[in-house]
Each structure stands twice: as structure tokens, then as C-alpha cells.
Amino acid sequence: MENRYTEKHFREILEPCGLDRYFIIDERGVWPKVERDLIMLIETELLRWRPARSLKKNDVLLDIADTPMLPFPFNARELAAFLLAGPCALVADSYGEWSDGPDQDSLNQIAPDSMARTALSQAFAAYREAKAATTTEPGDQPNTDAMVLHLLKLAPEENIAIATIDGPAKPRREIRMTCKDFAMPYLVTTFKSSQFASAKDFYQALKNKVGTDGSPFDLATGPNRGSLFVRDLGKVFALKTLENAMPEIRNRARLG
């Protein structure tokens, strides 16, 4: 069972940063304090960022306005996702570089016996793991959407307090996104556009379409060379995966 952290721990993390002006904290979690401003829309929307936006881009159905930037209680992966962008990233900056943080001098601002120190250390480690899993070449810039998805899809059933569009917050909903799930709309559309004698022929057609509008795939490099790679998930989409998905693809294409 991984550690769970509370409002108290988050307040201990936030207090040394001097960034209270960006956040509202209540019993459900952390919320943006900056109001939406149509005159400064880009700036204020950045300050209102939350991981839920990245989830929604990947077809997770939820009500972003009713989803906190960070839920209470939270685990290290949820904290890492929170720290990725917007004013939340300023909190991370207060504790050092992602590559080797949190630094000890910054941690010393938190009481030595507080679990908030553990939360930060685990969050920085989770960031590094997620970045390694969602980039293909050394020096690649982090993809925030892919990293959020990677961090949150790994949560166990007791994780991820989100409000779905079907009703109120469901704190025990599990989010898992496979390559097949992520690519399915594109797979069905492409399958319907032509006729394929086999899954292998279909797979080759998908490779030929890499780089065209709507394709979620890149061509894998290194040991997976010759395979498709789902760029936003940081995962290989193998021919075997497509073969297993063909009955569902055919059925969806027929119904659609």
C-alpha cells in the first residue's frame, strides 16, 4: 500500500514557497485561486491549469471545473502530476531541479519528522520515472499530457479523486489507458477507409500513415524499430496488440 498524504502535508509543502496567492485549499483538495479573465485569457488559463485537462485530452470523461488540481488525500504520483505545469510548477521550482531534487536545503524548510518530506521525495522520483517512460531520446523535452496520463493511469483503485460528467466525485475510480484504448477512434476510422486482407496489412497501412493528420503514432526506434509507437503514451503498439484488437475494431466499424 503506497503512502497517502493529507491537507496538512500539502500545507507544509506550500508554506515555504510563498505561493498561497495562487491556490484555494478546502476539504476536497487544491483549487485555482486566479479568476478567469477574458482580456488576459491565455495568462489566467495557465494559472488555472490542472492535471484534469491532460486527462480530458485523452478522452477521460470528467468535469474539469469540479476536479481539483490536487485531491485530498493524495499520493506521490498525484503530487507529481500537480507539480508539472502552471503555478504548481513554481512549487516544484522551490524545491530544486527535477533531475536531482528535492534538494536538502529546501527540504529543511519542512519539519524533519513530517511526511511532507517523503511526499516531495517520492513525487520527484515519480516525475523522473514518468519522463523516462514518455520520452524516446535523451534530451527530449517532457510532454506534460503524456506524463500526466502515465502518472495517473498507474494509480491503484483507492486513487484519483475526480468528478466525472455522470455525477459527483468518485474517489475510488481507477484510470487506466492502454494503447488500444487511446488509438481506437483512429483505428476504426482508418479501418473503415479501406479494405485490408489481414491485420499485418492493416498494421503496415498504419505505419504508412505516420506523420499524417490524426495519426497518434510514430515509428519506434532502438530495440523496437519497425513497430508503431503511441507518442502521447510513450508505449509501443505492437502487431500482436493490433491482432488482438481486430474483432473489436471490425465490430465498431460495422456499427459505426
Side-chain angles (χ1 to χ4, degrees):
M1 179 71 68
E2 62 188 345
N3 292 332
R4 304 289 286 163
Y5 304 101
T6 65
E7 176 183 344
K8 171 183 176 293
H9 297 126
F10 177 76
R11 288 185 182 276
E12 289 177 324
I13 291 169
L14 184 63
E15 184 177 4
C17 305
L19 297 167
D20 305 60
R21 64 189 180 278
Y22 292 118
F23 307 109
I24 295 172
I25 302 172
D26 65 19
E27 68 279 359
R28 288 184 57 197
V30 184
W31 307 84
K33 192 171 187 177
V34 176
E35 297 289 338
R36 192 167 184 262
D37 187 331
L38 294 179
I39 297 176
M40 300 182 65
L41 187 60
I42 295 177
E43 293 84 353
T44 55
E45 283 304 288
L46 177 60
L47 294 174
R48 293 171 57 79
W49 180 87
R50 66 198 81 185
R53 291 183 179 175
S54 296
L55 294 177
K56 191 161 187 178
K57 288 181 183 178
N58 288 282
D59 298 326
V60 178
L61 299 180
L62 49 80
D63 181 353
I64 294 179
D66 197 39
T67 304
M69 303 164 103
L70 179 70
F72 294 150
F74 60 92
N75 67 19
R77 290 193 301 273
E78 288 171 316
L79 179 59
F82 165 84
L83 294 172
L84 286 177
C88 319
L90 299 176
V91 178
D93 289 344
S94 300
Y95 289 97
E97 299 294 330
W98 282 119
S99 59
D100 58 4
D103 64 65
Q104 191 58 51
D105 287 343
S106 298
L107 281 181
N108 286 341
Q109 299 176 88
I110 300 174
D113 296 327
S114 173
M115 287 290 288
R117 289 192 176 199
T118 304
L120 273 170
S121 296
Q122 290 180 343
F124 272 70
Y127 171 96
R128 290 189 283 267
E129 189 277 332
K131 183 177 184 296
T134 56
T135 55
T136 57
E137 300 292 341
D140 281 357
Q141 291 301 306
N143 181 317
T144 298
D145 293 336
M147 289 186 67
V148 167
L149 193 67
H150 181 85
L151 286 163
L152 299 188
K153 74 181 177 63
L154 296 177
E157 291 184 0
E158 67 266 27
N159 247 6
I160 312 299
I162 63 173
T164 70
I165 62 172
D166 299 319
K170 298 179 180 179
R172 293 185 179 271
R173 171 169 177 163
E174 181 181 12
I175 297 174
R176 293 186 184 274
M177 182 71 70
T178 66
C179 288
K180 184 197 75 172
D181 295 332
F182 183 84
M184 184 58 71
Y186 178 76
L187 294 173
V188 172
T189 299
T190 305
F191 184 77
K192 289 168 63 177
S193 69
S194 187
Q195 293 181 331
F196 304 97
S198 65
K200 186 175 181 180
D201 289 340
F202 186 25
Y203 195 78
Q204 183 59 50
L206 293 170
K207 291 169 65 174
N208 293 340
K209 289 180 175 292
V210 166
T212 61
D213 290 343
S215 174
F217 299 113
D218 288 331
L219 292 177
T221 58
N224 295 307
R225 184 181 299 275
S227 298
L228 291 168
F229 187 84
V230 182
R231 72 178 74 90
D232 286 340
L233 292 186
K235 289 188 174 183
V236 171
F237 184 75
L239 173 59
K240 184 64 175 178
T241 304
L242 181 65
E243 290 173 341
N244 292 336
M246 287 306 297
E248 182 178 352
I249 294 170
R250 290 192 182 96
N251 187 53
R252 290 196 183 199
R254 179 179 58 81
L255 295 176

